[in-house]
Amino acid sequence: DAGVTQSPTHLIKTRGQQVTLRCSPKSGHDTVSWYQQALGQGPQFIFQYYEEEERQRGNFPDRFSGHQFPNYSSELNVNALLLGDSALYLCASSLTNAIEAFFGQGTRLTVV
Amino acid sequence: DAKTTQPNSMESNEEEPVHLPCNHSTISGTDYIHWYRQLPSQGPEYVIHGLTSNVNNRMASLAIAEDRKSSTLILHRATLRDAAVYYCILRRRGSQGNLIFGKGTKLSVKP
């Protein structure tokens, strides 16, 4: 089992551009959550997907959107990038009702 | 969600026990106490969780105060690989939602 895999590992974008980050959950996991982690801070919850629907959302603007596919993989899209969007983006997967969440290694996004 | 308070940083010597404290004075009766850790350049990983009783697993032990207003993560013999940021998180029983991370405690382990 490859665990949670995220792509790409690093990305540099220009302010105003759009970006798509991808996540493949651990085998069999049906729930995917996305987090943003600024330097020196703990991860902040963006949103969670279950059964291809957004189930819960954190305090992030509509520029942040997502999608979950029938195979449970997920994408995070960010439009109109700001310098402040530079961060490590983490994907976590779990089984519904399970205690433990499994995190990927993240995608490091730099906006210049 | 109830808040947790942890020291910003702690130091330990290799092969010695480490006690990482967490205060959660506003914890509710249905909140579980979870611990995750984040090694350098990695995503967070689950360590342990508990509700009322002390818990042990292969990674660590969790000691929960009788009034549940504080808890301590215990690493019995710290190794260099245990150097990480440790997060104490409260999560409501039955919650399928997000984990709310604070800044955590950065643990340094000296050889």
Side-chain angles (χ1 to χ4, degrees):
Chain A
D1 184 6
V4 179
T5 57
Q6 293 187 241
S7 62
T9 53
H10 295 83
L11 199 52
I12 300 175
K13 288 286 190 178
T14 303
R15 192 171 43 180
Q17 284 189 316
Q18 179 263 344
V19 69
T20 297
L21 310 181
R22 294 176 175 82
C23 173
S24 292
K26 192 172 166 64
S27 178
H29 284 190
D30 55 8
T31 302
V32 174
S33 302
W34 287 92
Y35 293 79
Q36 180 195 65
Q37 186 173 25
L39 209 58
Q41 305 292 318
Q44 301 298 304
F45 174 73
I46 303 174
F47 42 55
Q48 182 183 84
Y49 276 83
Y50 170 69
E51 291 190 341
E52 302 180 52
E53 297 284 334
E54 183 183 290
R55 178 158 68 179
Q56 200 175 71
R57 189 178 182 92
N59 188 24
F60 278 80
D62 292 344
R63 298 186 298 109
F64 289 77
S65 63
H67 189 77
Q68 186 179 34
F69 299 93
N71 66 353
Y72 304 134
S73 67
S74 177
E75 288 182 350
L76 164 65
N77 301 293
V78 187
N79 293 322
L81 284 166
L82 304 173
L83 296 179
D85 295 331
S86 295
L88 180 69
Y89 288 84
L90 294 160
C91 170
S93 76
S94 61
L95 285 166
T96 297
N97 297 324
I99 292 289
E100 186 176 350
F102 292 79
F103 284 80
Q105 290 196 318
T107 294
R108 172 72 62 188
L109 172 65
T110 303
V111 182
V112 297
Chain B
D1 292 289
K3 190 178 173 181
T4 62
T5 304
Q6 299 177 252
N8 289 333
S9 62
M10 289 184 66
E11 268 191 0
S12 171
N13 293 317
E14 196 175 11
E15 299 191 3
E16 289 187 356
V18 182
H19 291 233
L20 297 162
C22 180
N23 287 321
H24 28 78
S25 58
T26 59
I27 190 171
S28 79
T30 57
D31 284 338
Y32 278 86
I33 301 157
H34 291 245
W35 284 82
Y36 278 74
R37 73 179 185 179
Q38 188 170 19
L39 303 171
S41 303
Q42 303 278 330
E45 65 174 345
Y46 167 84
V47 177
I48 200 167
H49 78 280
L51 184 62
T52 56
S53 305
N54 295 344
V55 184
N56 300 297
N57 67 19
R58 63 173 180 82
M59 288 181 71
S61 295
L62 177 59
I64 302 173
E66 202 168 324
D67 63 5
R68 300 207 328 124
K69 293 186 177 182
S70 65
S71 60
T72 303
L73 180 71
I74 302 165
L75 307 179
H76 295 287
R77 286 182 73 216
T79 68
L80 297 178
R81 197 195 171 274
D82 291 321
V85 178
Y86 287 78
Y87 298 99
C88 170
I89 300 166
L90 301 183
R91 195 175 192 189
R92 194 135 297 173
R93 182 169 55 194
S95 165
Q96 297 171 26
N98 55 300
L99 296 166
I100 300 176
F101 290 83
K103 286 190 176 183
T105 297
K106 184 173 183 179
L107 175 66
S108 302
V109 180
K110 296 184 290 185

